[in-house]
Amino acid sequence: MTIDYIPEPPTEGGTEQFGLPWQGITLPPAVLDRHGARILDPWAVPLDKDETPPDSTVYRARVLLIPGQALAAQESSSWIDANLSRLGVRISQDSVDNARRRDYPEQPVWMPATLEATGDLPDVDPDAWRALRELRRACRDQAGGVPLEEFVTRASLDHLYVGSGVDGIGADLGGAPATSGHGVIDESGVLSHAGYGRMPVTLMSGPPRRRSIEELGGDRITVVTLDTGVVRDHPWFRPWTDDDAFLTVDPQGQAMIEAVHPTQGGRPVARLVGFEDLGELPNPLVGTLNTHTGHGLMIAGLIAQLAPDARVLMYKVMHDDGIVPGEAVHAAVDRLLDRMRSGFTVDVLCLAFGGFAETGQGTQAMQALFEKVNELRARGVIVVNAAGNYSTTRPFYLAAHSDTVVPNGPPLAPMLGVAAKNPDDTIAIFSNENPAVRWRAPGAMLVSTFPPNVQGAQSAALTNGRRTSLDGDSTSPFRSWSGTSFAAPIVAGVIAARLTATVNQVNVDRMRRAHDTIQQMISEKVIRPEITPI
């Protein structure tokens, strides 16, 4: 196994110069409806004179992300409502009340603000994109007179990110691998279900040996993942309640993530509940598994194979259909920062999802998330981001921030964007490329852990009651799966294994250790360290 570092940013694969670049978003209507979401269509939105058309993005249709400081203050929330009233909408009282239940630091804390009709105008569409443009106009026209202006001006769409596992059984999330929006014919071996998708396998080995704390001689390296959650009763993992379990959770932090779920005007939309991946079926009448069921456990198993002496702390932010709400990501990172300020140690953060912004530079909320991640990096946390599975050079955040230089700030630990390779070392057809994505790791047809007790209703293609062909939706505690989602934890696992070698050293400078580790990986063609021929 090798991990490649690209010394010079990729320059090939530029978009031809006609019209807007390929937008790269094709979500099924059922997924959009499940999350109260829309796709921003650059050709359908109204524009002011000389206004630049936006790029496409996915956002909650009736929700803005606004710093809680602005929502909680009477003067600024009233100012927001007064300016949105021209559209016949306002911020719901539930959103304001929820914001007022919290205490705030100096930095913005992003809270969802649900839009609702005021009743003053007929046929109102409480669309977040229109509301955001109205607020931006008002901030521009009333500059200097906006209450809590430093917070109000940072309002943003509530973007929905997407997990970067190539779609298995279930609905196509688009661009996986390379057919959606591209002139690629439907050939055998090209579409995700023909090879790259999730398939059950039989694994004849157990987990690698994990040394005790006494054998290590120091604290375990902690890798944090934000994903679909943990499961019970997998043969590789002890219960998360056990002392020194490899796979752990944070119930208090998970409750904070649940608490930021927007009301969406009373309409039933998908909600993150608890820290378990429950394997829920998107349509019980049909019964196929969701596209990203088991995504988080696959990641945990990959890290376990490479760094069994580490531990993985998982926060559930991803639905089993691959959708990751922006407010959940902000809440999870806020929780990590709070815990680290109180002495909790995190060494690596692995993010196996991302999204497109309506502007080429990202958005206020995405920039704010980057700033929060930089606070983690300033504490020595190495951040690893999946590059995305859309076969595009369009910026995919947060991976597109990976190579961003932050001037005039504190020293920061490295932040890596990771693309996927095939078993033969070629670049996987689905993998994004971008100047910020400087790493490539195995990301196709990997074998790892999967929830053992979930099974969809798909039938085998051929059966006579006693003999059947392989059912891609059948029960198995292990799967083969592909995606930059799994290239990223390969890199995170190698980093954790290398950091583990330093845990018995005293007075380690975390920042220097982080940079030394990545520099070693750059100078070497990384080979999985624990393999010994027999």
Side-chain angles (χ1 to χ4, degrees):
M1 181 197 81
T2 61
I3 295 174
D4 304 327
Y5 174 73
I6 308 164
E8 297 296 328
T11 57
E12 61 186 6
T15 303
E16 293 184 29
Q17 297 303 307
F18 56 89
L20 289 172
W22 172 67
Q23 298 301 304
I25 300 175
T26 54
L27 288 176
V31 172
L32 294 173
D33 188 57
R34 193 180 303 151
H35 297 280
R38 287 178 178 171
I39 295 176
L40 183 64
D41 183 350
W43 298 107
V45 297
L47 298 174
D48 294 338
K49 185 178 183 297
D50 298 327
E51 185 178 1
T52 302
D55 292 329
S56 61
T57 191
V58 186
Y59 66 101
R60 289 205 194 266
R62 298 187 175 188
V63 180
L64 290 174
L65 279 188
I66 299 176
Q69 291 90 333
L71 289 177
Q74 179 65 48
E75 187 178 11
S76 53
S77 62
S78 296
W79 183 92
I80 292 171
D81 280 346
N83 285 279
L84 292 182
S85 65
R86 291 189 286 270
L87 301 177
V89 300
R90 65 188 173 202
I91 303 296
S92 73
Q93 189 59 46
D94 283 346
S95 299
V96 174
D97 291 343
N98 194 32
R100 289 175 178 168
R101 295 188 187 103
R102 297 189 57 163
D103 296 323
Y104 295 98
E106 293 182 4
Q107 300 83 7
V109 175
W110 297 77
M111 299 288 289
T114 302
L115 302 170
E116 62 183 17
T118 62
D120 298 329
L121 298 175
D123 299 326
V124 170
D125 176 15
D127 177 65
W129 173 246
R130 293 187 63 204
L132 180 61
R133 294 178 73 238
E134 191 67 31
L135 281 183
R136 287 175 175 169
R137 285 195 200 99
C139 288
R140 182 181 63 243
D141 295 342
Q142 303 174 42
V146 181
L148 295 180
E149 188 166 358
E150 69 275 21
F151 295 113
V152 174
T153 53
R154 303 193 71 177
S156 174
L157 294 176
D158 185 6
H159 297 91
L160 296 183
Y161 299 96
V162 177
S164 294
V166 172
D167 307 340
I169 305 303
D172 176 24
L173 260 70
T179 53
S180 299
H182 292 275
V184 179
I185 61 174
D186 183 0
E187 296 177 342
S188 176
V190 172
L191 290 175
S192 58
H193 65 260
Y196 282 122
R198 180 183 61 202
M199 291 296 289
V201 297
T202 301
L203 189 66
M204 302 308 296
S205 64
R209 180 179 178 271
R210 190 172 194 239
R211 290 178 291 177
S212 67
I213 292 287
E214 291 72 25
E215 290 175 290
L216 277 180
D219 294 333
R220 296 199 184 277
I221 295 299
T222 298
V223 181
V224 173
T225 64
L226 312 183
D227 221 272
T228 55
V230 301
V231 301
R232 299 176 187 271
D233 303 325
H234 193 280
W236 270 31
F237 301 120
R238 293 158 53 188
W240 57 79
T241 53
D242 283 9
D243 291 338
D244 198 34
F246 175 84
L247 186 54
T248 61
V249 295
D250 173 15
Q252 184 177 347
Q254 200 66 53
M256 295 174 64
I257 294 170
E258 286 187 47
V260 298
H261 178 77
T263 58
Q264 285 284 84
R267 296 188 63 184
V269 293
R271 184 184 189 115
L272 292 165
V273 177
F275 45 74
E276 293 184 65
D277 183 342
L278 301 175
E280 294 177 334
L281 305 178
N283 185 340
L285 296 180
V286 177
T288 54
L289 291 179
N290 249 323
T291 58
H292 285 60
T293 295
H295 190 267
L297 204 68
M298 180 87 179
I299 288 170
L302 290 170
I303 296 171
Q305 293 175 60
L306 292 162
D309 292 326
R311 63 176 174 181
V312 169
L313 169 61
M314 187 177 299
Y315 289 93
K316 181 177 174 180
V317 302
M318 185 186 295
H319 294 270
D320 278 354
D321 58 11
I323 297 298
V324 182
E327 71 275 358
V329 180
H330 278 274
V333 176
D334 286 342
R335 171 62 175 172
L336 277 182
L337 283 169
D338 286 344
R339 294 190 71 183
M340 291 197 74
R341 291 172 188 135
S342 301
F344 183 72
T345 300
V346 175
D347 301 286
V348 184
L349 173 64
C350 183
L351 302 177
F353 56 85
F356 297 119
E358 65 271 21
T359 69
Q361 295 75 42
T363 66
Q364 290 280 7
M366 289 177 177
Q367 180 62 34
L369 185 59
F370 179 51
E371 292 168 1
K372 290 178 184 178
V373 167
N374 287 344
E375 290 189 54
L376 294 173
R377 296 170 65 196
R379 291 170 167 80
V381 180
I382 300 172
V383 181
V384 183
N385 300 299
N389 298 345
Y390 288 86
S391 300
T392 182
T393 57
R394 183 180 173 192
F396 187 76
Y397 295 96
L398 285 170
H401 280 311
S402 296
D403 212 32
T404 301
V405 176
V406 181
N408 305 321
L412 301 176
M415 181 168 171
L416 287 56
V418 184
K421 298 194 298 179
N422 290 312
D424 65 357
D425 247 18
T426 58
I427 303 172
I429 188 68
F430 55 77
S431 186
N432 289 357
E433 293 191 53
N434 185 270
V437 176
R438 307 286 290 276
W439 295 80
R440 294 181 187 137
M445 305 307 295
L446 296 165
V447 175
S448 187
T449 49
F450 190 80
N453 300 317
V454 298
Q455 180 171 9
Q458 176 177 323
S459 298
L462 180 64
T463 179
N464 63 9
R466 188 172 65 91
R467 298 164 61 89
T468 64
S469 59
L470 181 65
D471 179 355
D473 220 3
S474 65
T475 300
S476 169
F478 304 98
R479 295 276 163 143
S480 170
W481 206 347
S482 307
T484 59
S485 275
F486 311 122
I490 290 287
V491 174
V494 170
I495 292 170
R498 287 173 172 257
L499 293 177
T500 294
T502 71
V503 298
N504 59 358
Q505 300 174 9
V506 296
N507 300 321
V508 170
D509 184 308
R510 285 171 52 82
M511 191 65 65
R512 181 171 182 177
R513 182 186 67 168
H515 283 279
D516 286 350
T517 297
I518 300 305
Q519 191 57 49
Q520 290 169 9
M521 293 174 64
I522 290 173
S523 61
E524 304 169 9
K525 191 97 169 177
V526 178
I527 300 175
R528 181 177 171 181
E530 67 269 29
I531 288 183
T532 302
I534 58 173

